[in-house]
């Protein structure tokens, strides 16, 4: 069956045939892969590299560098600033499910993330999560699985916690 060019390119850069990805943690796979340079930098800035290097198991819907490039100009740089660490942690943990779910385990419906919200999974001819396409499923790691996605997915906007002034200053 013909495979989309994008998936083939991603597959070649993600899974070199001469390595067993299961010998590495999710953090190590992201950190040593040219397709995930932005993700690896974001994980480091959010201090999540150690978490995704721990026992797990985790399922990570991992956006490629191309996916991060689709965000509005300057968005990645803003997210990586130390003062925006809390927002970055929210965005990244929205891509992580606290259990291992191979593509065969996924079904249409909501899946709870480490961030606390649910992502909408749709399984059909392709798998989507919050309208991002899974372009390379089941990259197995020693502590879970990575599903490569073509867009950065964003958690629902947090409820304002008294930060917004409701009355004009007099």
């Amino acid at each position: 069956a013909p495979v989309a060019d994008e998936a083939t390119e991603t597959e070649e850069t993600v899974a070199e045939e001469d390595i067993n990805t299961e010998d590495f943690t999710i953090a190590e796979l992201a950190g040593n892969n040219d397709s995930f340079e932005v993700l690896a930098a974001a994980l480091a800035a959010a201090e999540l590299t150690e978490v995704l290097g721990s026992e797990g198991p985790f399922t990570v819907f991992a956006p490629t560098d191309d996916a991060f490039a689709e965000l509005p100009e300057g968005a990645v740089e803003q997210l990586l600033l130390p003062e925006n660490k809390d927002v970055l942690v929210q965005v990244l943990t929205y891509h992580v499910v606290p259990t291992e779910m191979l593509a065969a385990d996924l079904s249409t419906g909501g899946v709870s993330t480490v961030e606390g919200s649910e992502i909408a999974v749709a399984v059909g001819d392709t798998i989507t999560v919050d309208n991002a396409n899974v372009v390379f499923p089941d990259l197995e790691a020693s502590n879970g699985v990575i599903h490569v996605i073509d867009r950065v997915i964003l958690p629902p906007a947090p409820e304002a916690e008294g930060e917004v002034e409701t009355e004009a200053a007099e």
Side-chain angles (χ1 to χ4, degrees):
V3 178
D5 289 340
E6 182 179 357
T8 305
E9 285 176 34
T10 303
E11 190 170 331
E12 288 169 6
T13 56
V14 171
E16 296 292 322
E17 286 185 34
D18 56 351
I19 64 164
N20 180 359
T21 59
E22 292 182 51
D23 291 341
F24 301 94
T25 66
I26 290 170
E28 289 168 335
L29 287 175
N32 293 306
N33 191 301
D34 292 344
S35 296
F36 299 127
E37 289 177 2
V38 177
L39 178 61
L43 289 171
E47 297 178 7
L48 291 174
T49 305
E50 191 173 311
V51 173
L52 291 179
S54 69
E55 195 170 310
F58 304 104
T59 299
V60 177
F61 294 98
T64 61
D65 290 348
D66 290 343
F68 278 103
E70 295 295 318
L71 291 174
E73 191 172 328
V76 172
E77 293 77 7
Q78 284 294 313
L79 280 171
L80 294 177
L81 293 173
E83 61 266 25
N84 294 328
K85 179 181 170 190
D86 290 347
V87 175
L88 180 61
V89 167
Q90 268 191 312
V91 170
L92 292 173
T93 56
Y94 188 65
H95 289 77
V96 181
V97 176
T99 185
E100 183 173 13
M101 299 181 83
L102 296 172
D105 301 327
L106 295 171
S107 58
T108 299
V111 176
S112 296
T113 67
V114 172
E115 181 267 340
S117 302
E118 284 195 347
I119 50 175
V121 175
V123 178
D125 292 339
T126 59
I127 299 171
T128 60
V129 288
D130 280 5
N131 299 318
N133 295 301
V134 173
V135 294
F136 185 78
D138 295 343
L139 180 60
E140 293 189 61
S142 63
N143 62 343
V145 63
I146 296 173
H147 300 294
V148 181
I149 57 175
D150 63 357
R151 292 182 52 211
V152 176
I153 56 177
L154 299 173
E159 298 295 320
E161 295 178 16
E163 294 172 20
V164 179
E165 291 294 322
T166 54
E167 296 178 23
E170 300 202 16

